[in-house]
Amino acid sequence: KNIEGYYQETGRAGRDGLRSDAILFYSYGDVMKLKSFAMVEGNPEQTAISMGKLKQMQQFCESDTCRRQYLMQYFGEPFPAYCGSCDFCLSNLEQKDATTDAQKFLSAMVRTGERYGKGYLIDLLRGSNSEKIQPFHKELSVYGIGKDVKKEEWDWLTKQMINNGYVDTTDDQYPILKLNEKSRRILKGETKLMLVIQKPVKEEFDDEEEDLGYDDKLMKTLRGIRHEMADREHVPAYNIVPDNTLVEMATYLPQSFDELKKVSGFGDYKVGKYGGAFLQALQTFARDNNLSSKIHLKAPKKTTKTPTVKTNTGTNATQNATLALHKEGLSMEEIAEQRGLSLSTVETHLALFVGRGELDLFNIVPIDKVDKITNAIKASGQTVALKPVKDILGDNFTYGEIRMVLEYNKSLGL
């Protein structure tokens, strides 16, 4: 029914630290059904709020933009136009000049007096013989001029025009489309309508490595160690290490601290804090069963080729450039100076990689700061907005540090 509800639902995935997919099933019929539920009898103000939130959820489903950016901007957080993981960003993107079709559609709106919704107008343009088409509308010059375009393509065009502000809609249960200043300029030929089209990328994977498997008794031992640590620190078990970390330890049997660092979820901080107990169990198991480390066999099971993104944002490249300089040992201030970026932008880039598990948070933000930020997040009750947390912490903490801890916590399902 609203973005807040959707965001909360998707946050339930991945709490075990494993990669997860969020799939949203959507049809316009769902919107029509939910509109009836959004009506609050005798309370027009609440009805308007609920309808507005539903409309934003509809726009999220229908928009051709980065889903992550849409969500973060909804909650008042800046975010680049490329997240690298949503359906939009994993597609090949091309621009299409939709001006001619847009002019046909807008002409149909004008000639019917701006009194109809998109379904009626699309049927009119395609020359439908349906009885719902007014007889005198069949005499109009726009009747049938769009029959060479599929109904689905007209529907997509109309949704993009609405979502991008080229056409206004009423707040009725069956919205009526209205012209605005932007659409009038298109109609007059004063400006073009350029829209982005998604072309899905077929994922190509490297050959899968052999599934080595792991010993169930060893896994039970590792879970027991994690449980004891969690009880001692009064935190959820996954806050120690997530399930995928246990799986990798049981599978690859690291036999030293250096090898343990190659396991997903183990950075220097966690190896130092929790590694000893796990390592002792792994070494005992390997010795008793005459086994050796298999860490040299560890590699990502699947590598997805990065899609070509034909846009002018360059955000994917700029994020990777920041990461590369960070790995070379440059400080965030040095990266910002060298790349001509603001410090906050550099921090935002690195926060993305922290959230994806590609950077160790504790190598960037000191542990004492992480603890204080985590406590402030809990005190504020926030898991999205930064300002309430910053107000608690004061000037000794940056928005970037807060964002990194938030992204880290999200990766753990907190």
Side-chain angles (χ1 to χ4, degrees):
K1 296 179 182 178
N2 51 60
I3 296 291
E4 290 87 351
Y6 174 76
Y7 194 85
Q8 184 182 31
E9 292 285 346
T10 57
R12 295 177 182 178
R15 287 184 175 178
D16 56 3
L18 299 172
R19 289 190 63 83
S20 55
D21 294 315
I23 303 174
L24 174 62
F25 294 91
Y26 167 78
S27 75
Y28 185 68
D30 298 331
V31 177
M32 299 306 295
K33 184 182 296 184
L34 288 172
K35 279 186 178 181
S36 63
F37 297 154
M39 300 290 184
V40 182
E41 188 174 352
N43 192 334
E45 292 83 7
Q46 186 58 45
T47 296
I49 292 173
S50 298
M51 294 288 277
K53 286 182 175 293
L54 178 59
K55 184 176 181 179
Q56 288 170 315
M57 188 65 204
Q58 178 185 352
Q59 289 176 342
F60 171 75
C61 296
E62 297 177 352
S63 67
D64 269 359
T65 58
C66 171
R67 308 287 177 187
R68 182 70 172 170
Q69 183 189 52
Y70 188 104
L71 289 173
M72 299 312 292
Q73 288 181 344
Y74 176 86
F75 290 109
E77 297 292 337
F79 196 85
Y82 182 85
C83 71
S85 60
C86 73
D87 63 309
F88 180 79
C89 292
L90 291 176
S91 302
N92 281 332
L93 308 178
E94 292 183 355
Q95 279 196 326
K96 174 185 178 181
D97 186 343
T99 307
T100 301
D101 287 341
Q103 288 173 332
K104 291 178 182 179
F105 189 86
L106 296 171
S107 295
M109 287 175 57
V110 171
R111 295 185 183 280
T112 54
E114 299 178 55
R115 297 172 55 197
Y116 296 90
K118 69 180 181 70
Y120 184 91
L121 294 167
I122 290 173
D123 285 343
L124 178 69
L125 287 165
R126 299 192 74 248
S128 171
N129 291 320
S130 171
E131 292 182 359
K132 73 176 182 179
I133 302 295
Q134 300 288 342
F136 57 91
H137 284 164
K138 294 182 180 180
E139 304 299 323
L140 297 174
S141 60
V142 293
Y143 178 70
I145 63 170
K147 60 184 177 182
D148 58 325
V149 178
K150 294 180 180 179
K151 187 172 184 177
E152 293 78 11
E153 294 178 22
W154 277 119
D155 187 64
W156 174 84
L157 171 65
T158 309
K159 288 175 180 177
Q160 298 315 308
M161 291 176 69
I162 294 171
N163 293 338
N164 288 286
Y166 290 101
V167 175
D168 294 336
T169 64
T170 64
D171 291 328
D172 305 312
Q173 185 173 3
Y174 299 96
I176 295 171
L177 305 187
K178 301 286 186 180
L179 295 177
N180 57 30
E181 188 58 36
K182 292 173 73 174
S183 51
R184 290 189 180 92
R185 287 202 297 269
I186 293 173
L187 194 55
K188 294 176 182 177
E190 296 174 355
T191 184
K192 289 186 176 182
L193 176 63
M194 305 298 295
L195 296 176
V196 175
I197 299 177
Q198 289 177 261
K199 289 194 172 182
V201 176
K202 182 178 180 181
E203 291 185 341
E204 297 181 22
F205 299 111
D206 293 342
D207 292 337
E208 293 190 3
E209 63 187 59
E210 180 185 357
D211 186 359
L212 300 177
Y214 55 81
D215 185 88
D216 290 336
K217 289 184 179 179
L218 173 60
M219 175 61 74
K220 186 175 181 180
T221 299
L222 297 177
R223 287 185 185 276
I225 294 171
R226 183 178 68 169
H227 182 72
E228 291 176 3
M229 292 176 177
D231 277 353
R232 188 165 57 246
E233 297 190 13
H234 305 290
V235 298
Y238 55 73
N239 202 27
I240 304 299
V241 290
D243 282 358
N244 67 315
T245 300
L246 298 182
V247 170
E248 288 193 12
M249 282 193 289
T251 300
Y252 297 106
L253 301 176
Q255 297 294 295
S256 68
F257 285 106
D258 284 340
E259 289 187 345
L260 205 56
K261 290 179 184 178
K262 297 179 181 180
V263 174
S264 301
F266 263 128
D268 289 339
Y269 170 75
K270 286 204 171 185
V271 166
K273 188 173 183 179
Y274 305 124
F278 288 118
L279 194 58
Q280 184 176 358
L282 292 164
Q283 290 171 338
T284 299
F285 177 83
R287 183 175 61 251
D288 292 347
N289 293 275
N290 196 28
L291 298 172
S292 59
S293 170
K294 303 174 185 176
I295 200 71
H296 62 286
L297 300 176
K298 182 183 179 301
K301 272 190 170 288
K302 296 179 180 180
T303 55
T304 307
K305 293 185 177 180
T306 303
T308 301
V309 181
K310 299 177 182 177
T311 64
N312 296 323
T313 59
T315 46
N316 188 33
T318 195
Q319 291 167 8
N320 288 332
T322 296
L323 177 64
L325 291 174
H326 172 76
K327 288 184 174 180
E328 289 177 10
L330 274 68
S331 68
M332 288 186 282
E333 291 79 5
E334 291 170 332
I335 295 172
E337 181 178 356
Q338 181 168 325
R339 302 204 57 220
L341 301 174
S342 67
L343 180 60
S344 63
T345 298
V346 173
E347 290 175 326
T348 299
H349 288 177
L350 296 182
L352 293 175
F353 294 108
V354 168
R356 294 173 187 169
E358 297 179 40
L359 286 180
D360 188 345
L361 169 69
F362 302 97
N363 286 337
I364 306 175
V365 183
I367 182 61
D368 60 322
K369 277 196 167 187
V370 172
D371 291 339
K372 290 177 181 177
I373 293 171
T374 300
N375 291 334
I377 291 171
K378 292 178 181 178
S380 70
Q382 286 290 332
T383 57
V384 178
L386 304 182
K387 192 175 187 306
V389 182
K390 182 72 162 62
D391 290 343
I392 294 173
L393 293 168
D395 294 335
N396 291 330
F397 295 79
T398 68
Y399 280 105
E401 290 171 335
I402 297 170
R403 181 178 285 109
M404 289 182 200
V405 176
L406 277 170
E407 291 295 331
Y408 176 75
N409 287 345
K410 288 176 189 175
S411 71
L412 297 178
L414 299 178

